């Protein structure tokens, strides 16, 4: 028995010691003293390459947020300070914006701007007293930007925004051509309906004819469905659908067939062009249909009396005349198309609006770059209007000399 | 109204007797209706090569429809149409049917009441469009011929004008030249002068007369009685979708037999044929 007692005694001691060690290691009280992450400044604007001189624009400091005891340790706005050339900037407006991936504090509304060089020093303080500091220098203009619009920013960044015209025009031209093709096919499909089923039966009383008639109606149904679906849903939604849903569809198909491995996901540009051309094609199909139907019946009759086939009739007589009728409306749609390329900024196509947004985000000043973008779009449409007028005068050459 | 009843109208025999081989156009028992409305009720007609036939009749009598049925601008339900060597049985469909329709069309030139020139093409382009693209002539060949035709219709100096820049009479003459450019064997005129100012009618009728004298086969729907009596070999009076009376112009215009014809001519002609002045009780 004593031997047994001793064994039990040692076993109890062992268990107690192990439990104690485990308990110490896992105790929250022991950890809390050591885990604290101070804020870390990642970058601060203005930095080299943004502007040629600081004129009192908003200063933004991007940082990784602080934590203490595993909990967020937020910045306290009015305890964060900015010194310019060793002078504490008083009366500066501060704003903290937080995002899941990081945070930014902005200083704006500076009372004065030094000339020559501005030496910035920023101190960020958190609720629990953690600190981060950064010093940097930047050239300063000595003149405070007066009001809403920042001419310096516009001057220095409009070049970047203007370079977006390339993408805008590229997308507009390709989409316009494709939209015309889709529109024409759609319009011809819509015009394939020669008569109703009732009329066809009354006329021929033949099941064979009705079967043929049903087949001949298929293009009409397809075209009607196409026009209906693309005119009946928002363009923005179509852009999202093509850009985000098509890859999902391709993935799904890859499960079934290896052929789909060769099909890549459409990029932003391709998706954008597809969405714009399909959407505008649907609208143009109605425009073309109206144009074709506006040509007097006598024209077609005269052409058939001369022995022209339906295709010749369409190509030589109806379409050229219909084209003259629809040019003003088509011009309208193309101006609209130029402007709607801006919707592609949502899928990060680097066209005019996307660039303006990027610049705005960089300086926390959206007004000036967006104004630049607006002027560019306006200029483009004026330019297009001019050419449209020329084209119209050319198409109506018979009206020129009277 | 009684005249419209089918039984009240004495019809010509459905099969014309003594149909010789020289007939260029042969229409047999043609029926055409727009929905419930019967426009042609069994029309038969034979036209010989070089013959000029004038169709007369009140509006709605079916004369324009008959003309449009001959080159299939309207689809007729029953009957058959023969032009030259091609016969088409009406009411059919399918490839062979449409091909023979096309054959017939190529042999018919048509002139419309409202010209139907193509406004986006110049006069010359209007004329050469069909020869170039349908029969495949070269541009030079077609243009040379077009200039000849323009010379013939007196429009040599208007070749490069657009239809909107020339007068109605000139338009109609250009339309005649356009139809002639396809070398038709038969010319169909659908009230060619009805849309023209009175002083412009003469030019167009002159061209048509020249054409008739040159031996062209023509079927003309017109209200120009002068033209009918001068140029026509045969006049046909239509009413209610059938031929009421048929004969040489001097007979039909000035000594009509049928009451309905007399009634119609009384409205059209300033002096209805010599002593045969209308009596009040004619109705």
């Amino acid at each position: 028995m004593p031997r047994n007692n001793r064994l039990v005694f040692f076993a109890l001691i062992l268990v107690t010691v192990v439990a104690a060690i485990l308990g110490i290691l896992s105790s929250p009280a022991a950890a809390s003293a050591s885990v604290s992450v101070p804020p870390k400044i990642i970058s601060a604007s203005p930095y080299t390459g943004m502007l040629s001189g600081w004129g009192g624009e908003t200063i933004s400091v991007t940082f990784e947020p602080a934590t203490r005891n595993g909990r967020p340790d937020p910045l306290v706005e009015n305890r964060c300070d900015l010194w310019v050339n060793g002078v504490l900037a008083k009366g500066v407006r501060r704003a903290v914006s937080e995002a899941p991936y990081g945070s930014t504090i902005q200083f704006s509304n500076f009372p004065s701007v030094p000339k020559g060089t501005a030496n910035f020093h920023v101190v960020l303080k958190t609720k629990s007293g953690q600190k981060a500091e950064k010093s940097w220098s930047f050239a300063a203009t000595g003149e405070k930007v007066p009001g809403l619009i920042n001419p310096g920013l516009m001057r220095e960044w409009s070049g970047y925004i203007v370079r977006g015209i390339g993408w805008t025009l590229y997308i507009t031209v390709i989409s316009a051509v494709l939209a015309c093709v889709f529109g024409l096919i759609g319009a011809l499909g819509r015009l394939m309906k020669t008569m109703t089923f009732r009329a066809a039966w009354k006329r021929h009383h033949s099941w064979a004819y009705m079967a043929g008639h049903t087949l001949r109606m298929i293009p009409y149904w397809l075209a009607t469905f196409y026009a209906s679906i693309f005119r009946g849903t928002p363009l923005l939604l179509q852009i999202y659908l093509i850009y985000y849903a098509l890859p999902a569809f391709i993935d799904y198909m890859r499960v079934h067939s290896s052929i789909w491995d060769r099909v890549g996901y459409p990029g932003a540009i391709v998706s954008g062009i597809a969405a714009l051309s399909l959407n505008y094609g649907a609208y143009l199909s109605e425009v073309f249909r109206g144009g074709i139907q506006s040509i007097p019946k006598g024209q077609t009759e005269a052409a058939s009396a001369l022995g022209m086939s339906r295709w010749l009739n369409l190509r030589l007589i109806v379409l050229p005349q219909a084209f003259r009728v629809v040019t003003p409306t088509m011009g309208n749609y193309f101006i609209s198309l130029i402007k709607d390329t801006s919707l592609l900024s949502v899928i990060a196509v680097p066209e005019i609006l996307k660039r303006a947004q990027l610049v705005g985000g960089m300086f926390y000043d959206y007004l000036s770059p967006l104004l630049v973008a607006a002027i560019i779009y306006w200029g483009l449409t004026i330019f297009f209007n001019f050419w449209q007028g020329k084209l119209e005068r050319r198409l109506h050459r018979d009206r020129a000399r009277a | 109204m009684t005249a419209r009843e089918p039984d009240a109208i004495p019809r010509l025999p459905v099969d014309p007797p003594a149909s010789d081989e020289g007939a260029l156009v042969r229409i047999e028992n043609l029926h055409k209706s727009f929905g419930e409305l019967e426009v042609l009720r069994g029309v038969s007609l034979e036209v010989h090569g070089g013959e000029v036939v004038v169709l007369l009749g009140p509006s709605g009598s079916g004369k324009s429809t008959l003309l449009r049925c001959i080159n299939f601008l309207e689809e007729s339900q029953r009957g058959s149409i023969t032009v030259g060597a091609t016969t088409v049985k009406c009411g059919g469909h399918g490839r062979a049917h449409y091909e023979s329709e096309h054959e017939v069309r190529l042999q018919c030139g048509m002139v419309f009441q409202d010209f139907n020139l193509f406004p986006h093409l110049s006069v010359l382009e209007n004329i050469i469009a069909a020869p170039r693209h349908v029969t495949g002539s070269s541009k030079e060949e077609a243009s040379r011929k077009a200039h000849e035709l323009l010379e013939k219709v007196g429009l040599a100096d208007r070749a490069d004008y657009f239809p909107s820049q020339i007068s109605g009479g000139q338009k109609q003459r250009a339309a005649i030249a356009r139809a002639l450019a396809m070398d038709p064997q038969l010319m169909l005129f659908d009230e060619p002068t009805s849309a023209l100012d009175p002083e412009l009618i003469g030019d167009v009728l002159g061209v048509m007369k020249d054409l008739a004298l040159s031996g062209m086969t023509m079927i003309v729907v017109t209200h120009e009685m002068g033209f009918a009596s001068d140029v026509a070999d045969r006049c046909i009076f239509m009413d209610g979708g059938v031929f009421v009376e048929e004969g040489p112009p001097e007979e039909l215009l000035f000594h009509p037999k049928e009451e309905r014809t007399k009634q119609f001519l009384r409205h059209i002609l300033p002096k209805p044929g010599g002593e045969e002045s209308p009596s009040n009780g004619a109705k």
Side-chain angles (χ1 to χ4, degrees), chain A residues 135-185:
Chain A
S135 295
W136 76 102
S137 301
F138 201 82
T141 58
E143 277 172 42
K144 193 176 171 301
V145 176
L148 277 170
I149 295 170
N150 185 341
L153 188 153
M154 281 167 111
R155 195 168 51 243
E156 285 175 37
W157 283 92
S158 54
Y160 172 75
I161 300 172
V162 163
R163 263 171 273 139
I165 290 180
W167 280 117
T168 298
L169 286 185
Y170 173 76
I171 292 165
T172 306
V173 168
I174 295 185
S175 305
V177 171
L178 287 176
C180 281
V181 173
F182 294 150
L184 199 56
I185 294 172

Side-chain angles (χ1 to χ4, degrees), chain B:
Chain B
M1 285 322 289
T2 48
R4 293 248 165 190
E5 292 297 322
D7 296 328
I9 299 171
R11 296 188 190 206
L12 291 175
V14 170
D15 291 314
S19 57
D20 59 327
E21 295 305 308
L24 177 70
V25 183
R26 181 176 303 143
I27 297 161
E28 277 165 23
N29 197 24
L30 201 66
H31 285 262
K32 163 75 188 167
S33 57
F34 293 108
E36 299 297 307
L37 182 72
E38 270 191 275
V39 185
L40 295 179
R41 298 190 289 186
V43 168
S44 297
L45 171 67
E46 248 183 41
V47 183
H48 299 269
E51 200 180 5
V52 177
V53 174
V54 168
L55 291 174
L56 301 170
S59 59
S61 59
K63 53 197 194 309
S64 280
T65 307
L66 173 60
L67 221 54
R68 292 162 60 83
C69 281
I70 293 175
N71 67 351
F72 301 102
L73 290 182
E74 302 288 353
E75 200 185 337
S76 23
Q77 279 87 17
R78 261 198 296 149
S80 74
I81 294 168
T82 308
V83 177
T86 318
T87 302
V88 181
K89 271 192 79 68
C90 298
H93 49 85
R95 178 174 279 270
H97 177 77
Y98 294 123
E99 265 170 18
S100 51
E101 277 189 4
H102 180 70
E103 280 297 306
V104 169
R105 267 183 191 154
L106 283 182
Q107 299 178 57
C108 302
M110 177 127 183
V111 176
F112 298 86
Q113 180 177 353
D114 39 10
F115 329 129
N116 290 340
L117 286 176
F118 308 131
H120 61 302
L121 301 176
S122 70
V123 168
L124 184 71
E125 287 166 335
N126 260 283
I127 296 172
I128 65 174
R132 278 193 67 199
H133 294 98
V134 179
T135 43
S137 326
S138 70
K139 191 172 179 182
E140 293 71 35
E141 169 66 21
S143 304
R144 195 184 51 71
K145 199 172 155 203
H147 281 295
E148 271 173 28
L149 286 168
L150 283 173
E151 190 84 41
K152 214 164 151 187
V153 299
L155 286 178
D157 53 339
R158 291 287 185 271
D160 294 324
Y161 282 57
F162 284 92
S164 58
Q165 295 160 348
I166 57 179
S167 73
Q170 290 171 333
K171 278 184 207 174
Q172 195 58 296
R173 282 182 283 152
I176 294 172
R178 180 177 68 175
L180 289 174
M182 289 298 283
D183 288 321
Q185 297 192 48
L186 167 71
M187 284 287 281
L188 307 169
F189 290 85
D190 188 3
E191 304 197 26
T193 55
S194 299
L196 296 177
D197 288 342
E199 69 260 38
L200 299 175
I201 291 176
D203 295 341
V204 174
L205 290 181
V207 168
M208 287 167 66
K209 199 167 171 179
D210 289 347
L211 199 58
L213 290 177
S214 74
M216 175 62 77
T217 317
M218 292 161 63
I219 302 177
V220 186
V221 171
T222 187
H223 295 299
E224 293 297 324
M225 292 306 143
F227 176 83
S229 61
D230 282 2
V231 182
D233 298 310
R234 184 150 51 113
C235 283
I236 298 171
F237 176 72
M238 273 186 89
D239 191 23
V242 290
F243 290 172
V244 175
E245 193 172 351
E246 186 175 350
E250 56 272 17
E251 224 169 82
L252 187 124
L253 292 181
F254 304 114
H255 308 286
K257 293 188 193 73
E258 299 294 332
E259 190 51 42
R260 185 73 189 91
T261 317
K262 286 179 193 163
Q263 213 178 0
F264 172 74
L265 290 173
R266 216 174 289 137
H267 293 296
I268 295 289
L269 295 175
K271 263 202 285 170
E275 311 82 67
E276 279 193 42
S277 54
S279 57
N280 287 332
K283 202 170 180 192

Side-chain angles (χ1 to χ4, degrees), chain A residues 243-254:
Chain A
Y243 187 56
Y244 293 119
L246 226 50
F249 171 76
I250 291 169
D251 280 345
Y252 178 79
M253 294 309 285
R254 278 175 183 172

